[in-house]
Amino acid sequence: MTKVIAFDVNETLLDLSSLDDAFEDLLGSAALRGQWFAQMLQLSFVGGLTGEYVDFTTAQHAALHMLAERHGHTLTTDEATAVVSRMSSLPAHPEVPGALRRLRTTDLTLVALTNSIQTVAEAQLTNAGIREHFDGVISADAVKRLKPAPEPYLTVARAFDVDPAEVRLVAAHSWDVSGALAAGCKAAFVTRPGMVPSPLGGRPDIVGADVADVVDQIMTMDTE
């Protein structure tokens, strides 16, 4: 039986499209925001694979400079910092606050599980107006192993004294869902625009168009 719901934060709960104007102004195209996020993930994952840990904020700065160079631009440190700092004030997707409020009426424990460093994660949820809905905020930075490595998911299980099989991750990233399933947790996939589940490995038993859809299914499957 599921006891803990662990929500990914960036893109799953929070809307990164609010950064589009910054990419338009600095690099000439809002479309580069997606490339930046993908580059940041690559740098973070390479750090994990090579044993040279890179935290999410450091990876975001590095990815921004790489992207600028690739497209013939030069960013100052202050310009890069201004973009990265906006990660702390992203808005929640419209359906998220209401969906979380509904889930709080159940006996399930809610936790935010993110690759963002702890201070950024707390600021993100507070500024988005949804921190009150969570029983805890866990950063993968605390164990210096970013998702989809197993340690962050297992940290959630240990923190709330439950078996990994009693934890369900909710995420809009196939790599995050795959990591949770490989760690022995359940998962729910949020198919935000452009997001599709991986055809490889385990499959989540809940798939929904947004967090509200996923929460509806969780309340049917994971509550008594």
Side-chain angles (χ1 to χ4, degrees), residues 161-184:
D161 194 26
V162 299
D163 188 88
E166 296 173 312
V167 175
R168 179 185 293 280
L169 175 80
V170 177
H173 304 111
S174 63
W175 52 265
D176 204 353
V177 166
S178 294
L181 293 173

Side-chain angles (χ1 to χ4, degrees), residues 100-172:
L100 293 176
R101 281 194 295 271
R102 291 192 358 261
L103 204 53
R104 288 302 290 175
T105 65
T106 72
D107 292 331
L108 294 166
T109 296
L110 306 188
V111 60
L113 176 63
T114 178
N115 279 344
S116 296
I117 63 174
Q118 190 73 35
T119 54
V120 170
E122 291 283 358
Q124 287 181 306
L125 298 172
T126 298
N127 291 333
I130 56 175
R131 175 62 180 88
E132 64 182 343
H133 300 303
F134 294 97
D135 297 292
V137 178
I138 294 177
S139 167
D141 184 62
V143 292
K144 298 297 186 284
R145 289 279 285 165
L146 299 181
K147 299 181 294 176
E151 288 86 351
Y153 311 103
L154 299 180
T155 296
V156 171
R158 287 194 297 271
F160 294 97
D161 194 26
V162 299
D163 188 88
E166 296 173 312
V167 175
R168 179 185 293 280
L169 175 80
V170 177

Side-chain angles (χ1 to χ4, degrees), residues 40 43-44 53-64 84 117:
M40 178 267 293
L43 291 171
S44 298
Y53 176 74
V54 179
D55 70 71
F56 237 35
T57 298
T58 298
Q60 287 163 12
H61 279 275
L64 194 54
V84 173
I117 63 174

Side-chain angles (χ1 to χ4, degrees), residues 19-31:
L19 301 177
D20 286 356
D21 62 333
F23 282 86
E24 183 73 42
D25 292 342
L26 288 176
L27 301 178
S29 175

Side-chain angles (χ1 to χ4, degrees), residues 29-44:
S29 175
L32 294 179
R33 189 253 304 170
Q35 292 185 32
W36 167 70
F37 197 78
Q39 181 69 71
M40 178 267 293
L41 290 175
Q42 183 187 81
L43 291 171
S44 298

